[in-house]
Coordinates of all heavy atoms in Angstrom, one line a residue:
M1 N -39.7 13.5 -11.5 CA -38.8 12.4 -11.8 C -37.5 12.5 -10.9 O -37.0 13.6 -10.8 CB -38.5 12.5 -13.3 CG -37.7 11.3 -13.7 SD -37.4 11.4 -15.5 CE -35.9 10.5 -15.6
F2 N -37.2 11.5 -10.3 CA -36.0 11.4 -9.5 C -34.8 10.8 -10.2 O -34.9 9.8 -10.8 CB -36.4 10.6 -8.2 CG -35.2 10.6 -7.2 CD1 -34.9 11.7 -6.5 CD2 -34.5 9.4 -7.1 CE1 -33.9 11.6 -5.6 CE2 -33.5 9.4 -6.2 CZ -33.2 10.5 -5.4
I3 N -33.8 11.6 -10.1 CA -32.5 11.1 -10.8 C -31.5 11.0 -9.7 O -31.2 12.0 -9.0 CB -32.0 12.0 -11.9 CG1 -33.1 12.1 -13.0 CG2 -30.8 11.5 -12.5 CD1 -32.9 13.3 -13.9
L4 N -30.9 9.8 -9.5 CA -29.8 9.7 -8.5 C -28.5 9.9 -9.3 O -28.2 9.2 -10.2 CB -29.9 8.3 -7.9 CG -28.8 8.0 -6.9 CD1 -29.0 8.9 -5.6 CD2 -28.9 6.5 -6.4
F5 N -27.8 10.9 -8.9 CA -26.5 11.2 -9.5 C -25.5 10.4 -8.8 O -25.0 10.7 -7.6 CB -26.2 12.7 -9.4 CG -27.1 13.5 -10.3 CD1 -28.2 14.2 -9.7 CD2 -26.9 13.6 -11.6 CE1 -29.1 14.9 -10.5 CE2 -27.7 14.3 -12.4 CZ -28.8 15.0 -11.9
F6 N -25.1 9.3 -9.4 CA -24.2 8.4 -8.8 C -23.2 7.9 -9.8 O -23.6 7.6 -10.9 CB -25.1 7.2 -8.2 CG -24.3 6.1 -7.7 CD1 -23.8 6.1 -6.4 CD2 -24.0 4.9 -8.5 CE1 -23.0 5.1 -5.9 CE2 -23.3 3.9 -7.9 CZ -22.8 4.0 -6.6
G7 N -22.0 7.8 -9.4 CA -21.1 7.3 -10.4 C -19.7 7.4 -9.9 O -19.5 7.6 -8.7
T8 N -18.7 7.2 -10.7 CA -17.3 7.3 -10.3 C -16.7 8.5 -10.9 O -17.2 9.0 -12.0 CB -16.5 6.1 -10.7 OG1 -16.5 5.9 -12.1 CG2 -17.0 4.8 -10.0
R9 N -15.9 9.1 -10.2 CA -15.2 10.4 -10.7 C -13.7 10.3 -10.5 O -13.3 9.9 -9.4 CB -15.8 11.5 -9.9 CG -15.5 12.8 -10.5 CD -16.4 13.9 -9.9 NE -16.2 14.1 -8.5 CZ -16.6 15.2 -7.8 NH1 -17.2 16.2 -8.5 NH2 -16.4 15.4 -6.6
P10 N -13.0 10.6 -11.5 CA -11.5 10.6 -11.2 C -11.1 11.8 -10.4 O -11.6 12.9 -10.6 CB -10.9 10.6 -12.6 CG -12.0 11.2 -13.5 CD -13.3 11.0 -12.8
G11 N -10.1 11.7 -9.6 CA -9.5 12.8 -8.8 C -8.4 13.4 -9.6 O -8.2 13.2 -10.8
K12 N -7.7 14.2 -8.9 CA -6.6 15.0 -9.5 C -5.4 14.1 -9.8 O -5.0 13.4 -8.9 CB -6.2 16.2 -8.6 CG -5.4 17.2 -9.3 CD -5.3 18.4 -8.4 CE -4.6 19.6 -9.0 NZ -3.1 19.4 -9.0
T13 N -4.9 14.1 -11.0 CA -3.8 13.2 -11.3 C -2.5 13.8 -10.7 O -2.2 15.0 -10.7 CB -3.6 13.1 -12.8 OG1 -4.8 12.7 -13.4 CG2 -2.5 12.1 -13.2
R14 N -1.7 12.9 -10.2 CA -0.4 13.3 -9.6 C 0.7 12.6 -10.4 O 0.6 11.4 -10.7 CB -0.4 12.8 -8.1 CG 0.6 13.5 -7.3 CD 0.2 13.4 -5.8 NE 0.0 12.0 -5.4 CZ 1.0 11.4 -4.6 NH1 2.0 12.0 -4.2 NH2 0.7 10.2 -4.2
E15 N 1.7 13.3 -10.7 CA 2.8 12.7 -11.5 C 4.1 12.9 -10.6 O 4.4 14.0 -10.1 CB 3.0 13.5 -12.8 CG 2.0 13.1 -13.8 CD 2.4 13.6 -15.2 OE1 3.2 14.5 -15.3 OE2 1.9 13.1 -16.2
S16 N 4.8 11.8 -10.5 CA 6.0 11.8 -9.7 C 7.1 10.9 -10.4 O 6.8 9.9 -11.0 CB 5.8 11.3 -8.3 OG 4.7 11.8 -7.7
H17 N 8.3 11.3 -10.3 CA 9.4 10.5 -10.7 C 9.6 9.4 -9.7 O 9.4 9.6 -8.5 CB 10.7 11.4 -10.9 CG 10.6 12.1 -12.2 ND1 11.0 11.5 -13.4 CD2 10.3 13.4 -12.5 CE1 10.8 12.4 -14.4 NE2 10.4 13.5 -13.9
L18 N 10.2 8.4 -10.2 CA 10.6 7.3 -9.3 C 12.1 7.3 -9.3 O 12.8 6.7 -10.1 CB 10.1 5.9 -9.8 CG 8.6 5.7 -9.9 CD1 8.3 4.3 -10.4 CD2 7.9 6.0 -8.6
P19 N 12.7 8.1 -8.4 CA 14.2 8.2 -8.4 C 14.9 6.9 -8.0 O 14.4 6.2 -7.1 CB 14.4 9.3 -7.4 CG 13.2 9.4 -6.5 CD 12.1 8.8 -7.3
G20 N 16.0 6.6 -8.7 CA 16.7 5.4 -8.3 C 16.2 4.1 -8.8 O 16.7 3.1 -8.5
V21 N 15.0 4.2 -9.5 CA 14.5 2.9 -10.0 C 14.8 2.8 -11.5 O 14.6 3.7 -12.2 CB 12.9 2.9 -9.8 CG1 12.3 1.6 -10.2 CG2 12.6 3.2 -8.3
S22 N 15.2 1.6 -11.9 CA 15.6 1.4 -13.3 C 14.5 0.8 -14.1 O 13.7 0.1 -13.6 CB 16.9 0.6 -13.4 OG 16.6 -0.7 -12.8
C23 N 14.4 1.2 -15.3 CA 13.5 0.7 -16.3 C 13.8 -0.8 -16.7 O 14.9 -1.0 -17.1 CB 13.4 1.6 -17.5 SG 12.4 1.0 -18.8
P24 N 12.9 -1.8 -16.5 CA 13.3 -3.1 -16.8 C 13.5 -3.3 -18.3 O 14.1 -4.3 -18.7 CB 12.0 -3.9 -16.4 CG 11.3 -3.0 -15.5 CD 11.6 -1.6 -15.9
F25 N 13.0 -2.4 -19.1 CA 13.2 -2.5 -20.6 C 14.5 -2.0 -21.1 O 15.2 -2.7 -21.8 CB 12.0 -1.9 -21.3 CG 11.8 -2.2 -22.7 CD1 11.4 -3.5 -23.1 CD2 12.1 -1.3 -23.7 CE1 11.3 -3.8 -24.5 CE2 12.0 -1.6 -25.1 CZ 11.6 -2.8 -25.4
C26 N 14.8 -0.8 -20.8 CA 16.0 -0.1 -21.3 C 17.1 0.0 -20.2 O 18.2 0.5 -20.5 CB 15.7 1.2 -21.9 SG 15.2 2.5 -20.7
S27 N 16.8 -0.4 -19.0 CA 17.7 -0.3 -17.8 C 18.3 1.0 -17.5 O 19.3 1.1 -16.9 CB 18.8 -1.4 -17.9 OG 19.4 -1.5 -19.1
Q28 N 17.7 2.1 -17.9 CA 18.1 3.4 -17.6 C 17.5 3.7 -16.2 O 16.3 3.4 -15.9 CB 17.5 4.5 -18.5 CG 18.1 4.5 -19.9 CD 19.5 5.1 -19.9 OE1 19.7 6.1 -19.3 NE2 20.4 4.5 -20.7
T29 N 18.3 4.4 -15.3 CA 17.8 4.6 -14.0 C 17.3 6.1 -13.9 O 17.8 7.0 -14.5 CB 18.9 4.4 -13.0 OG1 19.4 3.1 -13.1 CG2 18.5 4.6 -11.5
G30 N 16.2 6.3 -13.1 CA 15.7 7.6 -12.9 C 14.8 8.2 -14.0 O 14.6 9.4 -14.0
Q31 N 14.5 7.4 -14.9 CA 13.7 7.9 -16.1 C 12.2 7.6 -15.9 O 11.4 8.0 -16.7 CB 14.2 7.2 -17.4 CG 15.6 7.6 -17.8 CD 15.6 9.0 -18.3 OE1 14.6 9.6 -18.8 NE2 16.7 9.7 -18.1
L32 N 11.9 6.8 -14.9 CA 10.5 6.4 -14.8 C 9.6 7.4 -14.1 O 10.0 8.0 -13.1 CB 10.4 5.1 -14.0 CG 11.1 3.9 -14.6 CD1 11.1 2.7 -13.7 CD2 10.3 3.4 -15.8
K33 N 8.4 7.6 -14.6 CA 7.5 8.6 -14.1 C 6.2 7.9 -13.8 O 5.7 7.2 -14.7 CB 7.4 9.7 -15.1 CG 6.9 11.0 -14.6 CD 6.9 11.9 -15.7 CE 6.4 13.3 -15.5 NZ 6.3 14.1 -16.8
A34 N 5.7 8.1 -12.6 CA 4.4 7.5 -12.2 C 3.3 8.5 -12.3 O 3.4 9.6 -12.0 CB 4.5 6.9 -10.8
R35 N 2.2 8.0 -12.9 CA 1.0 8.9 -13.0 C -0.1 8.2 -12.1 O -0.5 7.1 -12.5 CB 0.6 9.1 -14.4 CG -0.4 10.2 -14.6 CD -0.7 10.4 -16.1 NE 0.4 10.9 -16.8 CZ 0.6 10.6 -18.1 NH1 -0.1 9.8 -18.7 NH2 1.7 11.2 -18.7
I36 N -0.4 8.8 -11.0 CA -1.4 8.2 -10.1 C -2.7 9.1 -10.1 O -2.7 10.3 -9.9 CB -0.9 8.1 -8.7 CG1 0.4 7.3 -8.7 CG2 -1.9 7.6 -7.8 CD1 1.2 7.4 -7.4
Q37 N -3.8 8.4 -10.5 CA -5.1 9.1 -10.5 C -6.1 8.5 -9.5 O -6.5 7.3 -9.7 CB -5.7 9.1 -11.9 CG -6.9 10.0 -12.0 CD -7.4 10.1 -13.4 OE1 -7.5 9.1 -14.1 NE2 -7.6 11.3 -13.8
P38 N -6.4 9.2 -8.4 CA -7.4 8.6 -7.5 C -8.8 8.6 -8.2 O -9.1 9.4 -9.0 CB -7.4 9.6 -6.3 CG -6.5 10.8 -6.7 CD -6.0 10.5 -8.1
R39 N -9.6 7.6 -7.7 CA -10.9 7.5 -8.2 C -11.9 7.5 -7.0 O -11.6 6.8 -6.0 CB -11.1 6.3 -9.1 CG -10.4 6.4 -10.5 CD -10.5 5.1 -11.2 NE -10.0 4.0 -10.4 CZ -10.3 2.7 -10.7 NH1 -11.1 2.4 -11.7 NH2 -9.8 1.8 -10.0
Y40 N -13.0 8.1 -7.2 CA -14.0 8.1 -6.1 C -15.3 7.7 -6.6 O -15.7 8.0 -7.8 CB -14.1 9.5 -5.6 CG -12.8 10.1 -5.0 CD1 -12.0 10.9 -5.8 CD2 -12.5 9.8 -3.7 CE1 -10.8 11.4 -5.3 CE2 -11.3 10.3 -3.2 CZ -10.5 11.1 -4.0 OH -9.3 11.6 -3.5
I41 N -16.1 7.1 -5.8 CA -17.5 6.9 -6.0 C -18.2 8.1 -5.4 O -18.0 8.5 -4.3 CB -18.0 5.6 -5.4 CG1 -17.5 4.4 -6.2 CG2 -19.6 5.6 -5.4 CD1 -17.9 3.0 -5.7
H42 N -19.1 8.8 -6.2 CA -19.7 9.9 -5.7 C -21.2 9.8 -5.8 O -21.8 9.1 -6.7 CB -19.3 11.2 -6.4 CG -19.7 11.3 -7.8 ND1 -20.9 11.8 -8.2 CD2 -19.1 10.9 -9.0 CE1 -21.0 11.7 -9.5 NE2 -19.9 11.2 -10.0
I43 N -21.9 10.4 -4.9 CA -23.4 10.5 -4.9 C -23.7 12.0 -4.8 O -23.2 12.7 -3.9 CB -24.1 9.7 -3.7 CG1 -23.7 8.2 -3.9 CG2 -25.6 9.9 -3.8 CD1 -24.1 7.4 -2.7
F44 N -24.4 12.5 -5.8 CA -24.6 13.9 -5.9 C -23.3 14.7 -5.8 O -23.3 15.7 -5.1 CB -25.6 14.4 -4.8 CG -27.0 13.8 -5.0 CD1 -27.5 12.8 -4.3 CD2 -27.8 14.3 -6.0 CE1 -28.8 12.3 -4.5 CE2 -29.1 13.9 -6.2 CZ -29.6 12.8 -5.5
W45 N -22.3 14.2 -6.5 CA -21.0 14.9 -6.6 C -20.3 15.0 -5.3 O -19.3 15.7 -5.1 CB -21.2 16.3 -7.3 CG -21.7 16.2 -8.6 CD1 -21.0 15.8 -9.7 CD2 -23.0 16.4 -9.1 NE1 -21.8 15.8 -10.8 CE2 -23.1 16.1 -10.5 CE3 -24.2 16.8 -8.4 CZ2 -24.2 16.3 -11.2 CZ3 -25.4 16.9 -9.1 CH2 -25.4 16.7 -10.5
I46 N -20.7 14.2 -4.3 CA -20.0 14.2 -3.1 C -19.2 12.9 -3.0 O -19.9 11.8 -3.0 CB -20.9 14.3 -1.8 CG1 -21.7 15.6 -1.9 CG2 -20.1 14.2 -0.5 CD1 -22.9 15.7 -1.0
P47 N -17.9 12.9 -3.0 CA -17.1 11.6 -2.9 C -17.5 10.9 -1.6 O -17.3 11.4 -0.5 CB -15.7 12.1 -2.9 CG -15.7 13.5 -3.2 CD -17.0 14.1 -2.9
V48 N -17.9 9.7 -1.8 CA -18.3 8.9 -0.6 C -17.4 7.7 -0.3 O -17.3 7.2 0.8 CB -19.7 8.4 -0.6 CG1 -20.7 9.5 -0.4 CG2 -20.0 7.7 -1.9
Y49 N -16.7 7.3 -1.4 CA -15.9 6.1 -1.2 C -14.6 6.2 -2.2 O -14.8 6.6 -3.3 CB -16.7 4.9 -1.5 CG -15.9 3.6 -1.2 CD1 -15.6 3.2 0.1 CD2 -15.4 2.8 -2.3 CE1 -14.9 2.1 0.3 CE2 -14.7 1.7 -2.0 CZ -14.4 1.3 -0.7 OH -13.7 0.1 -0.5
R50 N -13.5 5.9 -1.7 CA -12.3 6.0 -2.4 C -12.0 4.7 -3.0 O -11.8 3.7 -2.3 CB -11.1 6.5 -1.6 CG -10.0 7.0 -2.4 CD -9.0 7.7 -1.4 NE -7.7 7.7 -2.0 CZ -6.7 8.4 -1.5 NH1 -6.8 8.9 -0.3 NH2 -5.6 8.3 -2.1
L51 N -11.8 4.6 -4.3 CA -11.5 3.3 -5.0 C -10.0 3.3 -5.1 O -9.3 4.3 -4.9 CB -12.1 3.3 -6.4 CG -13.6 3.3 -6.5 CD1 -14.0 3.5 -7.9 CD2 -14.1 1.9 -6.0
S52 N -9.4 2.1 -5.5 CA -8.0 2.0 -5.6 C -7.6 2.9 -6.9 O -8.3 2.8 -7.9 CB -7.5 0.6 -5.8 OG -8.1 0.1 -7.0
P53 N -6.6 3.7 -6.8 CA -6.3 4.6 -7.9 C -5.8 3.9 -9.1 O -5.3 2.8 -9.0 CB -5.2 5.5 -7.2 CG -4.6 4.7 -6.2 CD -5.6 3.7 -5.7
S54 N -5.9 4.5 -10.2 CA -5.4 4.0 -11.4 C -3.9 4.5 -11.5 O -3.6 5.6 -11.3 CB -6.2 4.4 -12.7 OG -6.2 5.8 -12.8
E55 N -3.1 3.6 -11.9 CA -1.6 3.9 -11.9 C -1.0 3.5 -13.2 O -1.3 2.5 -13.8 CB -0.9 3.0 -10.8 CG -1.3 3.4 -9.4 CD -1.2 2.2 -8.5 OE1 -0.8 1.2 -8.9 OE2 -1.5 2.5 -7.3
L56 N -0.1 4.4 -13.6 CA 0.6 4.1 -14.9 C 2.0 4.6 -14.7 O 2.2 5.7 -14.2 CB -0.1 4.8 -16.1 CG 0.4 4.4 -17.4 CD1 -0.2 3.1 -17.8 CD2 0.0 5.5 -18.5
I57 N 2.9 3.8 -15.1 CA 4.3 4.2 -15.1 C 4.9 4.3 -16.5 O 4.6 3.3 -17.3 CB 5.2 3.3 -14.2 CG1 4.7 3.4 -12.8 CG2 6.6 3.6 -14.3 CD1 5.4 2.4 -11.8
Q58 N 5.5 5.3 -16.8 CA 6.1 5.4 -18.2 C 7.6 5.8 -18.1 O 8.0 6.6 -17.2 CB 5.4 6.4 -19.0 CG 5.8 6.3 -20.5 CD 5.0 7.2 -21.4 OE1 4.5 8.2 -21.0 NE2 4.9 6.8 -22.7
C59 N 8.4 5.2 -18.9 CA 9.8 5.5 -19.0 C 10.0 6.7 -19.9 O 9.6 6.7 -21.0 CB 10.5 4.3 -19.4 SG 12.3 4.6 -19.7
G60 N 10.7 7.7 -19.4 CA 11.0 8.9 -20.2 C 12.1 8.6 -21.3 O 12.2 9.3 -22.3
H61 N 12.8 7.5 -21.2 CA 13.9 7.2 -22.1 C 13.4 6.4 -23.3 O 13.5 6.8 -24.4 CB 15.0 6.4 -21.4 CG 16.2 6.1 -22.2 ND1 17.1 7.1 -22.6 CD2 16.6 5.0 -22.8 CE1 18.0 6.6 -23.4 NE2 17.7 5.3 -23.5
C62 N 12.7 5.2 -23.0 CA 12.3 4.3 -24.1 C 10.8 4.5 -24.3 O 10.3 3.8 -25.2 CB 12.7 2.9 -23.8 SG 11.8 2.1 -22.4
K63 N 10.1 5.2 -23.5 CA 8.7 5.5 -23.7 C 7.8 4.3 -23.4 O 6.6 4.3 -23.8 CB 8.3 6.1 -25.1 CG 9.1 7.3 -25.5 CD 8.7 8.5 -24.7 CE 9.6 9.7 -25.1 NZ 9.8 10.7 -24.0
K64 N 8.4 3.3 -22.8 CA 7.5 2.1 -22.5 C 6.7 2.4 -21.3 O 7.1 3.0 -20.4 CB 8.5 0.9 -22.3 CG 7.6 -0.4 -22.1 CD 8.6 -1.6 -22.2 CE 7.8 -2.8 -21.7 NZ 6.6 -3.2 -22.5
A65 N 5.4 2.0 -21.5 CA 4.4 2.2 -20.4 C 4.2 0.9 -19.7 O 4.1 -0.1 -20.3 CB 3.2 2.8 -20.9
Y66 N 4.1 1.0 -18.3 CA 3.9 -0.1 -17.5 C 2.6 0.1 -16.7 O 2.4 1.1 -16.1 CB 5.0 -0.4 -16.5 CG 6.3 -0.5 -17.2 CD1 7.1 0.5 -17.4 CD2 6.8 -1.8 -17.5 CE1 8.4 0.4 -18.0 CE2 8.0 -2.0 -18.0 CZ 8.8 -0.9 -18.3 OH 10.0 -1.0 -18.9
S67 N 1.7 -0.9 -16.8 CA 0.5 -0.8 -15.9 C 0.9 -1.5 -14.6 O 2.0 -2.1 -14.6 CB -0.7 -1.4 -16.5 OG -0.5 -2.7 -16.8
K68 N 0.1 -1.5 -13.6 CA 0.5 -2.1 -12.3 C 1.0 -3.5 -12.4 O 1.9 -3.9 -11.8 CB -0.7 -2.0 -11.4 CG -0.2 -1.9 -9.9 CD -1.4 -1.9 -9.0 CE -0.8 -1.9 -7.5 NZ -1.9 -2.1 -6.6
G69 N 0.3 -4.3 -13.3 CA 0.7 -5.7 -13.4 C 2.1 -5.9 -14.0 O 2.7 -7.0 -13.8
D70 N 2.6 -5.0 -14.7 CA 3.8 -5.1 -15.4 C 5.0 -4.6 -14.6 O 6.1 -4.7 -15.1 CB 3.8 -4.4 -16.8 CG 2.7 -4.7 -17.6 OD1 2.3 -5.9 -17.7 OD2 2.2 -3.8 -18.3
C71 N 4.7 -4.1 -13.5 CA 5.8 -3.5 -12.7 C 6.8 -4.4 -12.1 O 6.3 -5.5 -11.6 CB 5.2 -2.6 -11.5 SG 4.4 -1.1 -12.1
S72 N 8.0 -4.1 -12.0 CA 9.0 -4.9 -11.4 C 8.8 -4.7 -9.8 O 8.1 -3.8 -9.4 CB 10.4 -4.5 -11.7 OG 10.7 -3.2 -11.3
H73 N 9.4 -5.5 -9.1 CA 9.3 -5.4 -7.6 C 9.8 -4.0 -7.1 O 9.1 -3.4 -6.3 CB 10.1 -6.5 -6.9 CG 10.0 -6.5 -5.5 ND1 8.9 -6.8 -4.8 CD2 10.9 -6.1 -4.5 CE1 9.1 -6.7 -3.5 NE2 10.4 -6.3 -3.3
E74 N 10.9 -3.6 -7.7 CA 11.5 -2.3 -7.4 C 10.4 -1.2 -7.6 O 10.3 -0.2 -6.9 CB 12.7 -2.1 -8.3 CG 13.8 -1.3 -7.7 CD 14.9 -1.1 -8.7 OE1 14.8 -1.6 -9.9 OE2 15.9 -0.4 -8.3
M75 N 9.8 -1.3 -8.8 CA 8.8 -0.2 -9.1 C 7.6 -0.3 -8.2 O 7.1 0.8 -7.8 CB 8.3 -0.5 -10.6 CG 9.3 -0.1 -11.6 SD 9.1 -1.0 -13.1 CE 7.9 -0.1 -14.0
Q76 N 7.2 -1.5 -7.8 CA 6.0 -1.6 -6.9 C 6.3 -1.0 -5.5 O 5.4 -0.3 -5.0 CB 5.7 -3.1 -6.7 CG 5.4 -3.8 -7.9 CD 3.9 -4.2 -8.0 OE1 3.1 -3.6 -7.3 NE2 3.6 -5.1 -8.9
E77 N 7.6 -1.2 -5.1 CA 8.0 -0.6 -3.8 C 8.0 0.9 -3.8 O 7.5 1.6 -2.9 CB 9.4 -1.1 -3.4 CG 9.4 -2.6 -3.0 CD 8.5 -2.9 -1.8 OE1 8.7 -2.2 -0.8 OE2 7.7 -3.8 -1.8
A78 N 8.5 1.4 -4.9 CA 8.6 2.9 -5.1 C 7.2 3.5 -5.2 O 6.9 4.6 -4.6 CB 9.4 3.2 -6.4
L79 N 6.3 2.8 -5.9 CA 4.9 3.2 -6.0 C 4.2 3.3 -4.6 O 3.5 4.2 -4.3 CB 4.1 2.3 -6.9 CG 3.8 2.7 -8.3 CD1 2.9 1.6 -8.9 CD2 3.1 4.0 -8.3
K80 N 4.5 2.2 -3.9 CA 3.9 2.1 -2.5 C 4.3 3.3 -1.7 O 3.5 3.9 -1.0 CB 4.3 0.8 -1.9 CG 3.2 0.1 -1.1 CD 3.7 -1.1 -0.4 CE 3.9 -2.3 -1.4 NZ 4.5 -3.4 -0.7
K81 N 5.6 3.6 -1.8 CA 6.2 4.7 -1.0 C 5.5 6.1 -1.4 O 5.2 6.9 -0.6 CB 7.7 4.8 -1.3 CG 8.5 4.9 0.0 CD 10.0 5.0 -0.3 CE 10.6 3.6 -0.6 NZ 12.0 3.7 -1.0
L82 N 5.3 6.2 -2.7 CA 4.7 7.5 -3.3 C 3.3 7.7 -2.7 O 2.9 8.8 -2.4 CB 4.6 7.3 -4.8 CG 5.7 7.8 -5.7 CD1 5.3 7.7 -7.1 CD2 6.0 9.3 -5.3
K83 N 2.5 6.6 -2.7 CA 1.1 6.7 -2.3 C 1.0 6.9 -0.8 O 0.0 7.4 -0.3 CB 0.4 5.3 -2.6 CG 0.0 5.4 -4.1 CD -0.9 4.3 -4.5 CE -0.2 2.9 -4.4 NZ -1.1 1.8 -4.8
N84 N 2.0 6.6 0.0 CA 1.9 6.8 1.4 C 2.4 8.2 1.8 O 2.3 8.6 3.0 CB 2.8 5.7 2.2 CG 2.2 4.4 2.1 OD1 1.0 4.2 1.9 ND2 3.1 3.4 2.2
E85 N 2.8 8.9 0.9 CA 3.3 10.3 1.2 C 2.2 11.2 1.6 O 1.1 11.1 1.1 CB 3.9 10.9 -0.1 CG 5.4 10.8 0.0 CD 6.1 11.1 -1.4 OE1 5.4 11.9 -2.2 OE2 7.2 10.7 -1.6
Ligands
ZN101 ZN1 13.0 2.6 -20.4

């Protein structure tokens, strides 16, 4: 019997602060933390294709979480910068 081991696998989560970016909810600056998790499609546990990573931003002050669609322009720009590092 042949089984094709194929699926998606999350990569290592990276957490970074977004310095100088203010939270749209409580307007505190420097409290936002981004959690970026890369995802891969793998075949036989070998990553063959990189999917767009899942991203979550949470404010350390008011604990509000933002998914990518909820991000302000400022947050999007900071995220973009993080991912290009
Ligand atoms: Zn906040």
Side-chain angles (χ1 to χ4, degrees):
M1 188 177 153
F2 180 73
I3 301 165
L4 180 64
F5 292 99
F6 174 83
T8 59
R9 191 164 66 159
K12 199 167 180 282
T13 306
R14 198 155 60 103
E15 280 191 347
S16 316
H17 279 279
L18 300 180
V21 183
S22 58
C23 172
F25 192 71
C26 67
S27 47
Q28 291 282 322
T29 305
Q31 293 290 331
L32 296 170
K33 200 176 176 186
R35 194 176 291 150
I36 300 168
Q37 187 173 49
R39 289 176 304 161
Y40 300 94
I41 287 179
H42 68 86
I43 296 169
F44 293 104
W45 298 283
I46 300 161
V48 289
Y49 185 73
R50 198 172 158 173
L51 297 168
S52 64
S54 60
E55 294 151 0
L56 191 77
I57 295 178
Q58 194 177 25
C59 175
H61 183 76
C62 67
K63 307 291 177 205
K64 186 165 169 57
Y66 301 90
S67 61
K68 204 181 176 188
D70 307 323
C71 286
S72 68
H73 180 70
E74 208 182 2
M75 288 152 83
Q76 302 253 15
E77 288 299 308
L79 254 185
K80 222 185 282 173
K81 229 180 280 172
L82 269 183
K83 282 192 286 181
N84 290 337
E85 264 170 21

